[in-house]
Amino acid sequence: MEILKKHACFGGVQGVYRHPSAETGTAMDFAVYLPPQAEAGGTLPVLYFLSGLTCNWENVTVKAGAQRYAAEHGLILVAPDTSPRGLDLPGEHDSYDFGSGAGFYVDATQEPWSRHYRMYSYVTQELPGLVAAEFPVDTARQGITGHSMGGHGALVCALRNPGKYRSVSAFSPIVAPSQVPWGQKALGQYLGPDRQAWRAYDATCLVETTAWDRPILIDQGTADEFLAEQLRPELLVGAAAAAGIPLNVRHQPGYDHSYYFIASFIGDHIRHHAEQLR
């Protein structure tokens, strides 16, 4: 693991690292914030933040102000990238909502994506293994959150792995990718035309069978330009209610899809995770 940079931050250390990934076949960058409590020894709970379309580790690390709250609650904060980089596959860079920066946290099954676009396994297996080996993480206390495409990823990872994650939340998540243009485009090309295969990466489908039974927090801005067409939180609300899963969707008046929105409520989300991981 290569250290790219380190900065003192709220009494802790914000670092950025690079490692060769077996899942993606590329070098992958990720950020880790170690709160000041790490200096005391022992292990700490960890929270993974998955970013959205066109983003990488830098967005939440620089724009959200999350380190302040991670330091307050003694959480390690990990932010991975959103896709492999440097491949230049045919069509990979043609649009913002597919390919580079848009891995959708799935394990692709279609060529040429299947050899490298394995972000689900990267996020749920390879990266946590590396982080646990290199940082003082309590692997029994892991939480996951994210924004937009990353909110979709966080929900999918938690609902599919209730024994791995003890807390989950999301900002403006794509809750039903099988039913919206962003998701249909990505899942169709990564996974192929069989919509039954899409269900494994659709939160509204996963709530029907998941063993997850802990509180889920979602914040959604009412002025979000993607709300009606791409996000559609009401679909998850209905599905979770039918499944008896505790879901709290907070509609925040006047907030949009930007990191101004995330910065306004990131403290609530980290508090939510700290309570679940305590």
Side-chain angles (χ1 to χ4, degrees):
M1 187 181 71
E2 178 185 357
I3 301 171
L4 300 183
K5 59 181 75 176
K6 283 187 176 183
H7 305 280
C9 185
F10 289 101
V13 177
Q14 178 64 64
V16 181
Y17 307 89
R18 178 173 294 159
H19 76 106
S21 168
E23 291 291 352
T24 69
T26 66
M28 295 292 288
D29 295 354
F30 65 101
V32 176
Y33 175 68
L34 287 177
Q37 293 88 339
E39 295 184 359
T43 58
L44 297 173
V46 59
L47 176 62
Y48 289 84
F49 185 101
L50 307 185
S51 294
L53 291 168
T54 76
C55 297
N56 58 23
W57 58 266
E58 188 173 21
N59 296 76
V60 66
T61 303
V62 174
K63 298 178 181 179
Q67 295 93 337
R68 170 186 175 185
Y69 303 101
E72 178 182 340
H73 293 285
L75 288 178
I76 295 173
L77 186 64
V78 180
D81 205 342
T82 53
S83 78
R85 304 285 178 172
L87 293 168
D88 294 326
L89 299 174
E92 186 181 25
H93 312 306
D94 289 353
S95 59
Y96 78 95
D97 55 357
F98 181 79
S100 181
F104 262 82
Y105 303 102
V106 305
D107 283 349
T109 58
Q110 304 299 300
E111 292 292 342
W113 317 106
S114 59
R115 285 172 288 177
H116 303 286
Y117 276 70
R118 297 184 49 81
M119 291 303 295
Y120 173 77
S121 288
Y122 176 74
V123 164
T124 60
Q125 298 178 38
E126 184 176 18
L127 182 60
L130 175 66
V131 168
E134 299 287 345
F135 301 96
V137 166
D138 183 347
T139 56
R141 294 191 291 164
Q142 295 189 130
I144 192 163
T145 185
H147 172 231
S148 193
M149 179 186 73
H152 140 77
L155 292 170
V156 166
C157 290
L159 294 173
R160 288 182 59 170
N161 299 278
K164 181 183 291 285
Y165 302 100
R166 285 177 50 182
S167 60
V168 64
S169 72
F171 294 89
S172 313
I174 306 169
V175 302
S178 298
Q179 301 182 56
V180 302
W182 275 344
Q184 291 167 347
K185 178 178 180 178
L187 299 183
Q189 295 189 69
Y190 288 137
L191 304 178
D194 181 6
R195 287 178 173 253
Q196 191 65 28
W198 299 7
R199 294 177 61 86
Y201 298 101
D202 189 313
T204 59
C205 299
L206 291 171
V207 294
E208 298 174 4
T209 57
T210 184
W212 186 274
D213 60 359
R214 294 181 288 281
I216 300 173
L217 173 64
I218 291 177
D219 270 314
Q220 174 62 62
T222 61
D224 192 318
E225 61 268 40
F226 304 113
L227 176 57
E229 183 180 24
Q230 304 284 10
L231 306 180
R232 304 189 64 188
E234 71 278 1
L235 296 176
L236 184 61
V237 170
I245 294 176
L247 172 64
N248 180 17
V249 178
R250 309 192 306 183
H251 294 274
Q252 304 293 358
Y255 285 90
D256 57 19
H257 203 69
S258 71
Y259 268 81
Y260 296 111
F261 167 54
I262 295 174
S264 299
F265 298 102
I266 190 68
D268 290 351
H269 282 245
I270 290 181
R271 188 177 307 110
H272 164 82
H273 289 276
E275 290 172 353
Q276 299 296 314
L277 300 174
R278 187 165 293 146

